[in-house]
Amino acid sequence: MTDVYIKTSDLRPGIVLSENVFVNTNHAIIRKNTVLLPEHLEVLNAFGVREVKIEEQSVVKREEDLEVKDGEVNPDQVLTSIPLKQTDLKTEYRQAVEKYKREFIGWQAGTKPDIAKVRVILLPVLENFIKQKRMLNLLNNIANPKDYLYHHSIAVGVLASAISMQMGHPKGQSLQLGLAGVLADCGMAKIDATITDKAAFLTKEEFNEVKKHTIYSFKMVQDTPLLRQEMKLAIFQHHERLDGSGYPRGSRMDQITVFAQILAVADVFHAMTSERLYRSKESPFKVIEMIKEEEFGKFDLKVVQALHDLVGNLSIGMKVHLTNGETGEIVFIHRDARLRPMIKKEDGTILDLTINRRIAVEKVLD
């Protein structure tokens, strides 16, 4: 088999590279013997690569026909080696939401999800949030109530990936879970828009219809080789609860995977900290407390603790804004109630949040 050079503009998914591709980098941005996917083509175009060497007899296959052993795909095969653009993270996040919204509208019209395209939209955002963990606290402030569904999908992906990394999971696995988080609600595209767009609480019948979205989501991703099987199962299970109170099957305890539990915590946290058309948002610190206490028994405590360490890790000396509108400085943290510290207010008085339960930390001030 001989090798030939081909213009990047003439490349198609399924063609096999016969040599590494370097672009002023120590490491190849795409490795030899890679079977090209649509996202690889976008990477080559982004770097201005004009031609590459390929196997002359490469068999062109559709993305869904590409063979992947045991469903395994390394999600950071290409993009993790690409230098990140120094763009404003909020802007990058909003752009990802808009691109995801366009994809979702296509699914509503009956288009099959292009998982590779969703992955290209998401991975740079995941990478940046992983590097700038403090920005996770801004997710609930960036969300737009009108476009909540699209913001929620991207935010759940970001949070799930960050929680997974915090728990010590490999980066590739965490990025895969982030992709699963974004796709967890893709089945909402199959629910009547009069229900998904309703600016009020749902009736029992409407909520029963919404519950079907986990099944629809699973069916929409089950044939893609770009998600591992355990991630597809996590999508199916992301509304299950350890005490059996969830759906669609009412699974309990060890029947629910840790990946599904991470998606569940990310999903609930963002939902409760976001402003909705029919209710106001809650403080991230109060929500973590509620998940730990009021929802005790529903979620894996290790997952909840990882979320706590990411977005609720308070320390003495921090300046904070409280839910009652006041500001102050943390002067003492209770060992058994770290989310309810003692605050020295601007007038010099001390406010103990373990006593004043109606007040909580709203956000940490820079």
Side-chain angles (χ1 to χ4, degrees):
M1 181 181 295
T2 59
D3 299 333
V4 296
Y5 279 99
I6 183 174
K7 292 182 179 179
T8 305
S9 58
D10 294 331
L11 291 173
R12 288 171 289 172
I15 290 177
V16 180
L17 290 181
S18 62
E19 70 176 10
N20 293 335
V21 178
F22 294 89
V23 186
N24 298 321
T25 56
N26 293 327
H27 303 284
I29 62 169
I30 305 181
R31 297 181 182 280
K32 177 182 178 180
N33 297 325
T34 294
V35 180
L36 295 178
L37 294 174
E39 62 193 283
H40 296 128
L41 306 186
E42 291 201 25
V43 170
L44 291 171
N45 287 327
F47 275 93
V49 178
R50 295 186 177 182
E51 63 178 20
V52 295
K53 185 181 284 189
I54 66 167
E55 295 177 2
E56 187 177 24
Q57 297 179 19
S58 291
V59 178
V60 178
K61 300 180 181 180
R62 293 178 302 167
E63 173 203 334
E64 57 265 34
D65 292 333
L66 295 178
E67 293 183 2
V68 183
K69 293 183 180 179
D70 299 323
E72 294 292 323
V73 176
N74 184 355
D76 53 347
Q77 178 183 7
V78 180
L79 292 181
T80 55
S81 64
I82 299 176
L84 294 170
K85 296 179 180 178
Q86 298 301 311
T87 56
D88 179 72
L89 189 48
K90 289 184 183 179
T91 301
E92 186 176 55
Y93 168 85
R94 291 192 180 102
Q95 289 173 346
V97 170
E98 284 302 312
K99 291 176 183 178
Y100 175 82
K101 179 179 179 179
R102 288 196 289 270
E103 294 300 303
F104 189 91
I105 292 172
W107 304 337
Q108 287 178 311
T111 303
K112 182 180 178 181
D114 185 340
I115 308 302
K117 190 171 183 180
V118 174
R119 202 171 116 183
V120 169
I121 292 171
L122 179 69
L123 283 182
V125 179
L126 292 185
E127 290 275 12
N128 272 331
F129 270 103
I130 287 173
K131 290 187 176 182
Q132 302 181 51
K133 292 180 181 179
R134 65 182 183 83
M135 297 293 285
L136 291 168
N137 278 311
L138 297 178
L139 285 172
N140 62 325
N141 293 327
I142 306 173
N144 175 350
K146 184 179 178 182
D147 286 337
Y148 168 77
L149 180 59
Y150 318 117
H151 280 272
H152 183 64
S153 295
I154 298 296
V156 168
V158 168
L159 286 166
S161 185
I163 292 171
S164 181
M165 287 285 288
Q166 184 70 24
M167 293 178 70
H169 297 161
K171 186 174 183 180
Q173 195 174 63
S174 298
L175 294 177
Q176 270 271 298
L177 189 58
L179 180 58
V182 171
L183 294 166
D185 281 352
C186 67
M188 293 292 282
K190 305 303 179 184
I191 306 296
D192 193 308
T194 59
I195 296 177
T196 57
D197 295 341
K198 188 175 180 180
F201 287 104
L202 302 178
T203 65
K204 182 178 180 180
E205 292 73 21
E206 289 170 335
F207 185 55
N208 285 336
E209 188 64 26
V210 168
K211 284 182 177 180
K212 297 177 183 178
H213 82 275
T214 56
I215 299 172
Y216 295 146
S217 294
F218 177 76
K219 288 182 177 180
M220 289 169 70
V221 303
Q222 65 179 346
D223 294 330
T224 179
L226 298 181
L227 269 179
R228 298 171 185 168
Q229 289 302 121
E230 60 265 33
M231 302 306 170
K232 296 173 186 177
L233 178 58
I235 288 174
F236 182 77
Q237 292 187 328
H238 78 281
H239 277 288
E240 299 286 8
R241 299 294 180 259
L242 296 182
D243 62 359
S245 63
Y247 62 86
R249 289 184 174 173
S251 299
R252 302 173 63 92
M253 303 303 288
D254 292 343
Q255 296 173 324
I256 307 170
T257 71
V258 65
F259 301 119
Q261 275 294 296
I262 292 173
L263 292 188
V265 170
D267 176 82
V268 169
F269 176 77
H270 185 258
M272 294 178 70
T273 57
S274 297
E275 184 178 354
R276 307 286 288 275
L277 292 173
Y278 52 86
R279 67 166 171 78
S280 58
K281 63 184 178 181
E282 295 280 5
S283 154
F285 301 92
K286 184 177 180 180
V287 168
I288 294 174
E289 186 177 59
M290 290 168 69
I291 293 175
K292 279 187 171 182
E293 298 177 3
E294 297 179 22
E295 301 295 320
F296 181 79
K298 295 181 183 292
F299 302 100
D300 187 326
L301 290 179
K302 286 188 238 178
V303 177
V304 178
Q305 186 59 48
L307 174 67
H308 181 177
D309 293 341
L310 280 169
V311 300
N313 202 12
L314 299 173
S315 60
I316 293 175
M318 279 185 172
K319 305 286 186 181
V320 295
H321 182 79
L322 304 176
T323 53
N324 67 349
E326 294 184 294
T327 59
E329 179 182 341
I330 296 176
V331 293
F332 181 79
I333 294 178
H334 301 278
R335 185 181 64 179
D336 298 324
R338 298 189 61 82
L339 294 171
R340 294 198 157 272
M342 294 177 68
I343 309 294
K344 183 178 181 181
K345 299 193 295 183
E346 292 180 335
D347 63 3
T349 60
I350 302 296
L351 178 65
D352 189 345
L353 298 185
T354 61
I355 298 174
N356 296 271
R357 302 290 296 184
R358 292 186 178 181
I359 304 173
V361 174
E362 176 67 37
K363 62 181 178 180
V364 175
L365 302 175
D366 291 334

